[in-house]
Amino acid sequence: MIQIPQDMTEVKVKIAQLEELGHTSDEKEVIFDAIQDNAQSILDEQLEGHYYSCTLDNDTITVYETPEKPAGTVKSQGASFEDDFRKDANGMLIYLSKEISRVINQR
């Protein structure tokens, strides 16, 4: 089973897998989860552990040192991260990695 989709093909496979298990989900929801989960995975990898968290809100990912203390934000390249993912998921993930690195290195 695909845990975190990396592109639109994997999104479609994940939806099919969820439907086989009896779960209802739509493409937009799976893409949202994929972006947020990929951002958290990148953050954990760069910090070598789960020290910070992040949340996705349409065109902005906010990185938090603690639940009350934002460390910084990453803006989408286009209208939203969903649009960026749909157009070029790999490019969006590369951009996200670079920008998350920028946020954690400015602390």
Side-chain angles (χ1 to χ4, degrees), residues 8-27:
M8 287 306 296
T9 301
E10 290 185 3
V11 165
K12 291 177 188 335
V13 170
K14 174 92 176 192
I15 291 170
Q17 290 172 335
L18 290 170
E19 287 174 355
E20 279 183 26
L21 296 172
H23 301 287
T24 308
S25 61
D26 64 12
E27 191 173 82

Side-chain angles (χ1 to χ4, degrees), residues 25-95:
S25 61
D26 64 12
E27 191 173 82
K28 187 176 183 92
E29 179 184 330
V30 173
I31 291 171
F32 179 90
D33 290 345
I35 295 165
Q36 185 155 310
D37 292 347
N38 274 296
Q40 186 65 55
S41 178
I42 291 167
L43 191 54
D44 292 349
E45 183 179 311
Q46 290 186 8
L47 292 172
E48 298 179 356
H50 187 80
Y51 300 104
Y52 285 17
S53 62
C54 62
T55 58
L56 170 62
D57 181 26
N58 197 30
D59 71 337
T60 305
I61 292 176
T62 304
V63 176
Y64 292 91
E65 286 184 54
T66 68
E68 302 84 28
K69 185 177 179 188
T73 59
V74 177
K75 292 284 191 182
S76 62
Q77 292 176 293
S80 69
F81 276 103
E82 178 186 353
D83 288 345
D84 293 351
F85 188 90
R86 287 179 184 275
K87 289 177 187 169
D88 179 12
N90 188 51
M92 187 217 66
L93 292 172
I94 292 168
Y95 168 77

